[in-house]
Amino acid sequence: MDESKIFLSERDMPQAWYNINPDLPAPLQPPIHPGTGQPLGPEDLAPLFPMALIAQEMSMEPWIDIPDDVMEIYRLWRPSPLHRAYALEEHLGTPARIYYKNESVSPAGSHKPNTAVAQAYYNREEGIPRIITETGAGQWGSALSFACCVFGIQCEVYMVRVSYDGKPYRRLLMNAWGAECYPSPSDRTEAGRSILAEDPDSPGSLGIAISEAVEVAAQADDAKYALGSVLNHVLLHQTIVGLEAKKQFEMAGDYPDMIVGNVGGGSNFAGVCFPFVKEKIDGERDIQIIATEPTACPTMTRGIYHYDFGDTAELTPLLKMHTLGHKFIPAPIHAGGLRYHGAAPQMCLLVSQGIVEPRALHQKEVFEAAITWSRTEGHLPAPETAHGIRAAIDEAVKCRETGEEKCILIGYSGHGHFDLAAYDQYLSGNMVDYELPQEKIDAAVADLPEVE
Amino acid sequence: MDESKIFLSERDMPQAWYNINPDLPAPLQPPIHPGTGQPLGPEDLAPLFPMALIAQEMSMEPWIDIPDDVMEIYRLWRPSPLHRAYALEEHLGTPARIYYKNESVSPAGSHKPNTAVAQAYYNREEGIPRIITETGAGQWGSALSFACCVFGIQCEVYMVRVSYDGKPYRRLLMNAWGAECYPSPSDRTEAGRSILAEDPDSPGSLGIAISEAVEVAAQADDAKYALGSVLNHVLLHQTIVGLEAKKQFEMAGDYPDMIVGNVGGGSNFAGVCFPFVKEKIDGERDIQIIATEPTACPTMTRGIYHYDFGDTAELTPLLKMHTLGHKFIPAPIHAGGLRYHGAAPQMCLLVSQGIVEPRALHQKEVFEAAITWSRTEGHLPAPETAHGIRAAIDEAVKCRETGEEKCILIGYSGHGHFDLAAYDQYLSGNMVDYELPQEKIDAAVADLPEVE
C-alpha cells in the first residue's frame, strides 16, 4: 500500500502566494464606498489596514512573494500534510481515491493562521503596535492572537457575547497567547454602548462585533483592524494550502478530479481550490469544484448576486457577492464559521460563472458524516469541515455505484476539539435541521443597497 | 536553516516493539499475588487480559512484531513528526539543540492510542466483544474508545465522577467514538454501590474506578479489562515512539545527549527513552535521562522502592515500584495524568539503578514553561507534557551559561486543548503550588504490604 500521508519538505514550500485576480474569467467588480457610490481607493482603507495589505487587495500581479519572516513562522506547522483517507475509502467500499489537506495541524487548529501570520507581519513592518479584530466562535480571534504574539503586537478581540459566555475555551486560548478578549457588545465603544443602552442583555452578533472593532481601530492612531476572511488579500494568503497540495499530488502521482470544501466567508476553500482553478479556467483540466454551505445559511445556493454591506451596521464598504441580505440572521446551527450572510467576492464571481458549484447541506447529515469520519480516519473534524466531508462521502458513494475511480480532494479546514457540545447534541438526538422559507430570504434581500 | 520537522515515511516505520526486559541491568521483580504472596502466573491474569498480552507482559524476547492490522491503524497518524524547536532555542538564546517527538497528533491527542490500538487488536483476535476500563481525566478512556471503535469492540469506561462532571469534553470524545462512559462510583457494580451507600455524593477516585472496571471485567464472560500505563506490555507498545525518534535523529544527523519527559504511570516516557536506554546501559552512549514528576505527587523523588498495590482498594497484584503508598491522595494539581501514587516497575528499576534521573517540579513553573512554549513554538501543550518542557528549558538555559551545545529530546506526550481551564487559572494568578510535608508521605507509606 502507498503512503497515506504525503509530506512536503520545508525547502519545497511554495515561496509565493497565488493571486487569482489576473486569471479570473471576468473582471472583479470593485468595492464601493457606501457614501459616495464610487469605487474605493487605497486611501479609503488606510485607516484600517497597512498599505502593503491594501496593495495586495488590489494587486493584479499573479504571484506575491511570501516574506522570509512569514515563512519562518509557517514552518512551525507548514507544509501541512496531505493524507489519503484509505480507511474511509475501505469503509465506503468506493473505487474513489479520497485525499484531505489537513489544516487542523496549525497551533490554532485551523487554516486561519495562514493569513493571521501574514497580516500581523505587514502590520509589524509598518510599526503598528496593536491590532483590533472581532470573532464569532473564536477561530479567527485565536489565530490572530497567536500571530500577534509571535510578532510582538498587542491583540484586542471583540468576541460575540453568546460565544464568549458559552465557549470559554477559545477565549482562554486567546489569553494563553497574550491577547485581550472582550465580550461584544462592550462598554468600550460607542457602537457597543448604544446597543447595551437598548438591551443590556444583548447576546451580540458578528455585525455588532465588527462595528466595535472597526470603531476602535479607525479612531486609534496606533491600531489597525484585521479581517479573517472575505477580502482578496485574505484569500491570497490562504493559497499556500492549494499550492502545497498541488506539489503533494505531484509527489503522489495523482491529481484531483474533484475538490470539495466548506464556504463561510470563503477563505479556506479559496485557499485549497484557487491554485487548481486556473487550469479549469484555461480548459487544461476538467475539475469539479464543490463549495458546500449550510441550508440554514444558503448564501451561494439561494442568495442573490448583488452589492451588499459586509456587516449588519452598514459600516463597511459594499462588496459584489452572493448575499442573503446584511440583516439576515441565520438559525443557530453549530457550524458557526458558516453563518455569514455573504461570501468572498472572488469566490462568488467563480460561482456566478459556473466554475465553482455550490451545494447546501443540512447539519444532521453533516454530523453523520463527521461521525463516520471520526470512526474511520480517527480525527474529529470541525462542524464546518464536516460539510466538505459530507460532500466527499456522497460523491464517493456515487463512484461506488458508477464504478468511476475519481480522485477527490477535501479541504480539511480544522479540528473539532472545541465543538464537542455540538457532537453531544447530535449523538443524543437533540439536533434539528432548519428549513429556510423563501419569504424569509425575500424579506432579507428586499432592502439591499441600490448599487448594481 | 535545516528542516524543523523530520518526517519518517510509513514504509520506514519500525516493524517491531522493543522489549526492555532482557536488557535491564537487574532482573525485574515479578508481580506478587496479594493473597498467596507468590509470583503471579499467567492464569492469574487470564480473567482480565487476553493471553497474547499476558505473554508480552512476561516476555524475555527483545523484539515483538507489530501485527499488520495494528500497523494499518498506526498509519492514520504515525510515524509522528520529530520537530526541532528553533523558535524556542532562539527565544532562550541557547546553544542547545532542542527537539520534540510530537505524540499530540494522534486522534485522541496523546501517546495513549499507541497501546490502546494494540490492546484492542489482541482482544479482537481472541474474540472479545467488550473491553472495560477506567479513566481519570479522560486521556486513556478516549484513546481506548477510539481503538475499540476501529476494531469493532464495545468499550465501557468508568470515569472518575469529578472529571465526568467537570471535564465533559473528554467524555463527549469517548461518545463520539461510540463508547459508553459512566461516572464512577456508579450503581452498576458492587464496589460502586458500596461507596455510594456510604457517600451518595462521592467525587470518586481512580482507585474506585479501577475497582469498578476490574469487577465488571472479571465477572463477565464476554469482557476483558485494559490498563493504560504501568504494566510491561503497555510500555512495550509505547516504544514505537522512541524507535521512530532514533530513525529520525539518524535522518537529522544528530543524537540526543539528554532525554526529558514526564512520568505519571511511566508509559509515555518509557516509550521515548527505552530504545535509547540500552546504549546507556551498554556504556555505548552517555545519555542523561530525566523523568519529571509533580512535587505534589513525588513518586520517584520521595517515594520508597517497595512492593505495593496498584489501586486504593487493594484489588490488584503487588508491584515492586516507587510508591507514596496506595492510599496516598495527591493535591488537586492540573496534570491529572501525573497524580498516581506509584509508577511502572520497569521505569522504577531504572531509577533505582541510577539510569533514569527523577526530578520534581512545581506546577506554576510548569505552566510558566507551557506559556513560553505556546508563545514561541505555537502549540499548546498538555500540563503533563509541560513538565518535560520545563526541564528542557532549564537545561537549555544551563547550556547558555556553560556554552555547551547539548542535544535535548523532549517527549511531547499530548496537546492541551482540553486543559484550558488550568491555563486560565494560571494566567489569572489563581494557581497555587503544593509543598508536600514529609509526615504525610511517612503516614502514607506506613502500612505497605509486607512483601520485600
Side-chain angles (χ1 to χ4, degrees):
Chain A
M1 200 183 265
D2 291 331
E3 302 276 314
S4 66
K5 296 178 287 298
I6 299 118
F7 290 113
L8 193 66
S9 73
E10 290 163 33
R11 73 181 65 86
D12 291 330
M13 190 152 68
Q15 307 276 321
W17 294 299
Y18 166 65
N19 180 13
I20 200 170
N21 273 340
D23 291 325
L24 286 172
L28 194 67
Q29 289 180 262
I32 297 289
H33 191 294
T36 65
Q38 295 303 306
L40 227 57
E43 68 288 351
D44 295 312
L45 293 171
L48 295 183
F49 301 105
M51 287 313 293
L53 290 177
I54 295 170
Q56 289 180 0
E57 186 67 21
M58 302 179 172
S59 172
M60 288 300 280
E61 292 297 321
W63 295 97
I64 292 174
D65 287 345
I66 306 175
D68 287 347
D69 286 2
V70 172
M71 291 290 273
E72 200 181 314
I73 305 303
Y74 276 178
R75 278 168 22 110
L76 291 175
W77 74 96
R78 303 209 71 85
S80 72
L82 177 73
H83 303 247
R84 174 89 181 263
Y86 283 116
L88 178 66
E89 290 173 19
E90 195 186 319
H91 171 78
L92 297 175
T94 179
R97 301 183 302 288
I98 305 174
Y99 292 85
Y100 66 104
K101 178 68 172 165
N102 185 3
E103 292 298 304
S104 76
V105 299
S106 81
S110 78
H111 64 290
K112 293 284 188 192
N114 297 330
T115 184
V117 169
Q119 292 191 48
Y121 166 79
Y122 289 113
N123 274 282
R124 189 201 62 179
E125 286 303 281
E126 295 191 16
I128 309 299
R130 275 167 74 212
I131 302 181
I132 323 292
T133 198
E134 73 287 329
T135 197
Q139 274 286 11
W140 168 243
S142 55
L144 190 66
S145 300
F146 158 68
C148 284
C149 172
V150 295
F151 284 115
I153 296 172
Q154 184 55 41
C155 182
E156 225 174 281
V157 183
Y158 290 83
M159 183 172 187
V160 176
R161 179 178 281 280
V162 63
S163 295
Y164 183 94
D165 292 337
K167 298 186 174 179
Y169 271 30
R170 282 229 166 256
R171 163 171 62 83
L172 296 174
L173 199 50
M174 298 180 223
N175 295 152
W177 283 314
E180 291 166 27
C181 180
Y182 304 103
S184 165
S186 77
D187 60 4
R188 301 172 58 86
T189 67
E190 238 170 84
R193 284 189 295 270
S194 77
I195 300 279
L196 288 174
E198 275 186 40
D199 177 7
D201 298 323
S202 166
S205 73
L206 203 54
I208 296 168
I210 294 178
S211 306
E212 292 207 278
V214 167
E215 180 186 325
V216 173
Q219 290 180 359
D221 287 338
D222 66 340
K224 297 282 181 193
Y225 171 74
L227 194 67
S229 190
V230 176
L231 298 181
N232 299 347
H233 69 271
V234 181
L235 274 58
L236 170 79
H237 302 149
Q238 293 294 350
T239 59
I240 182 88
V241 178
L243 293 168
E244 284 179 6
K246 272 186 116 162
K247 292 191 173 201
Q248 288 162 314
F249 271 108
E250 208 169 301
M251 290 166 71
D254 211 337
Y255 198 89
D257 299 304
M258 179 182 290
I259 305 177
V260 297
N262 68 89
V263 169
S267 72
N268 102 73
F269 192 55
V272 186
C273 76
F274 279 7
F276 293 91
V277 159
K278 181 170 168 32
E279 289 164 60
K280 178 167 182 170
I281 293 173
D282 294 349
E284 287 173 24
R285 295 268 192 177
D286 182 28
I287 310 173
Q288 194 179 357
I289 301 174
I290 302 173
T292 61
E293 62 182 11
T295 49
C297 191
T299 312
M300 297 174 297
T301 49
R302 295 174 68 192
I304 60 172
Y305 189 45
H306 194 284
Y307 269 104
D308 196 6
F309 289 101
D311 70 326
T312 320
E314 308 189 347
L315 288 175
T316 71
L318 300 172
L319 300 172
K320 180 76 180 275
M321 59 186 175
H322 288 83
T323 179
L324 296 163
H326 58 281
K327 301 254 162 92
F328 177 77
I329 296 172
I333 55 163
H334 288 287
L338 308 185
R339 296 176 72 243
Y340 186 61
H341 69 276
Q346 288 175 336
M347 183 66 72
C348 292
L349 178 70
L350 294 174
V351 169
S352 75
Q353 297 275 326
I355 289 166
V356 171
E357 175 187 326
R359 181 180 296 182
L361 297 167
H362 281 292
Q363 67 174 348
K364 284 204 283 191
E365 62 183 337
V366 164
F367 274 86
E368 185 196 30
I371 290 292
T372 299
W373 182 272
S374 306
R375 294 182 183 179
T376 51
E377 291 298 314
H379 289 276
L380 209 79
E384 291 83 356
T385 307
H387 282 72
I389 292 172
R390 172 80 267 170
I393 290 176
D394 290 344
E395 294 297 323
V397 166
K398 279 187 211 161
C399 289
R400 184 176 67 204
E401 285 152 14
T402 63
E404 285 175 291
E405 297 179 3
K406 283 190 183 165
C407 173
I408 302 172
L409 169 61
I410 303 171
Y412 194 89
S413 53
H415 64 63
H417 297 169
F418 301 112
D419 302 288
L420 279 157
Y423 276 89
D424 189 33
Q425 202 184 47
Y426 172 73
L427 290 167
S428 59
N430 295 320
M431 185 171 280
V432 292
D433 281 338
Y434 296 95
E435 282 297 343
L436 182 61
Q438 187 57 41
E439 311 87 76
K440 199 176 163 196
I441 298 180
D442 293 343
V445 298
D447 61 345
L448 289 185
E450 280 178 20
V451 182
E452 258 320 307
Chain B
M1 201 182 267
D2 292 331
E3 303 276 313
S4 66
K5 295 178 289 299
I6 299 118
F7 291 112
L8 193 65
S9 73
E10 290 163 32
R11 74 180 65 87
D12 291 330
M13 191 153 67
Q15 308 277 320
W17 295 298
Y18 166 64
N19 179 14
I20 200 169
N21 272 340
D23 291 326
L24 286 172
L28 194 66
Q29 289 180 262
I32 297 289
H33 191 293
T36 65
Q38 294 303 307
L40 228 56
E43 67 288 351
D44 295 312
L45 294 170
L48 295 182
F49 301 105
M51 287 313 292
L53 291 176
I54 296 171
Q56 289 180 359
E57 186 67 21
M58 302 178 171
S59 171
M60 287 301 279
E61 292 299 318
W63 295 97
I64 292 174
D65 286 345
I66 305 175
D68 288 347
D69 287 2
V70 172
M71 290 291 274
E72 199 180 315
I73 305 302
Y74 276 177
R75 275 166 25 109
L76 291 175
W77 75 96
R78 305 210 70 84
S80 73
L82 178 72
H83 303 246
R84 174 89 181 262
Y86 283 116
L88 178 67
E89 290 173 19
E90 195 186 320
H91 171 78
L92 297 175
T94 178
R97 301 184 301 288
I98 305 173
Y99 293 84
Y100 66 104
K101 178 67 172 163
N102 185 2
E103 292 298 303
S104 76
V105 299
S106 80
S110 79
H111 64 290
K112 292 284 187 193
N114 296 329
T115 184
V117 169
Q119 292 191 47
Y121 166 78
Y122 289 113
N123 274 281
R124 189 200 63 177
E125 287 302 282
E126 295 192 16
I128 310 300
R130 276 166 72 212
I131 301 181
I132 323 292
T133 198
E134 74 287 329
T135 197
Q139 274 285 10
W140 167 242
S142 56
L144 190 66
S145 300
F146 158 68
C148 285
C149 172
V150 296
F151 284 115
I153 296 172
Q154 183 55 43
C155 182
E156 226 174 280
V157 183
Y158 289 83
M159 183 172 186
V160 176
R161 177 178 283 280
V162 63
S163 296
Y164 183 94
D165 292 336
K167 298 187 174 178
Y169 271 30
R170 281 229 166 256
R171 163 171 62 84
L172 296 174
L173 199 50
M174 297 180 222
N175 295 152
W177 283 314
E180 292 166 28
C181 180
Y182 304 103
S184 166
S186 76
D187 60 4
R188 301 172 58 86
T189 66
E190 236 169 87
R193 283 188 296 270
S194 77
I195 301 280
L196 289 173
E198 274 186 41
D199 177 7
D201 298 322
S202 165
S205 73
L206 202 55
I208 297 168
I210 294 177
S211 305
E212 292 207 279
V214 167
E215 180 185 325
V216 173
Q219 291 181 359
D221 287 339
D222 66 340
K224 297 283 182 193
Y225 171 74
L227 194 67
S229 190
V230 177
L231 299 181
N232 299 347
H233 69 272
V234 180
L235 276 58
L236 170 79
H237 302 150
Q238 294 294 350
T239 59
I240 183 88
V241 178
L243 292 168
E244 284 178 7
K246 272 186 115 163
K247 291 191 172 200
Q248 288 163 314
F249 271 108
E250 207 170 301
M251 290 167 71
D254 211 338
Y255 198 89
D257 299 304
M258 179 183 289
I259 305 177
V260 297
N262 68 89
V263 168
S267 73
N268 103 73
F269 192 55
V272 186
C273 76
F274 279 8
F276 294 90
V277 160
K278 181 171 168 32
E279 290 164 60
K280 178 165 182 172
I281 294 173
D282 293 349
E284 288 173 22
R285 295 266 192 180
D286 182 26
I287 311 172
Q288 194 178 357
I289 301 174
I290 302 172
T292 63
E293 62 182 10
T295 50
C297 191
T299 312
M300 297 174 296
T301 49
R302 296 174 67 192
I304 60 172
Y305 189 45
H306 195 283
Y307 269 104
D308 197 5
F309 289 98
D311 69 326
T312 320
E314 308 190 347
L315 289 175
T316 71
L318 300 172
L319 301 172
K320 180 76 181 275
M321 58 186 177
H322 288 83
T323 178
L324 296 163
H326 58 280
K327 301 252 163 93
F328 176 77
I329 296 172
I333 54 163
H334 287 288
L338 307 187
R339 295 177 72 243
Y340 186 62
H341 69 276
Q346 288 175 336
M347 184 66 72
C348 292
L349 177 70
L350 294 174
V351 169
S352 75
Q353 297 276 326
I355 290 165
V356 170
E357 174 186 327
R359 181 180 297 183
L361 297 166
H362 281 293
Q363 66 174 350
K364 284 205 281 192
E365 63 183 337
V366 165
F367 273 86
E368 184 196 32
I371 290 292
T372 299
W373 182 271
S374 306
R375 294 182 181 179
T376 51
E377 291 297 313
H379 290 276
L380 208 78
E384 291 83 356
T385 306
H387 282 72
I389 293 172
R390 173 79 268 168
I393 290 176
D394 291 343
E395 294 298 323
V397 167
K398 279 186 213 161
C399 288
R400 183 177 67 205
E401 286 152 15
T402 63
E404 284 175 292
E405 298 179 2
K406 282 189 182 165
C407 173
I408 303 172
L409 168 61
I410 303 170
Y412 193 89
S413 53
H415 64 62
H417 297 170
F418 300 113
D419 301 288
L420 279 157
Y423 276 88
D424 189 33
Q425 201 184 47
Y426 172 73
L427 290 167
S428 60
N430 295 319
M431 186 171 279
V432 292
D433 281 338
Y434 297 94
E435 282 295 344
L436 182 61
Q438 187 58 40
E439 311 87 76
K440 199 175 163 197
I441 299 180
D442 292 343
V445 298
D447 60 345
L448 289 185
E450 281 179 20
V451 183
E452 258 320 306

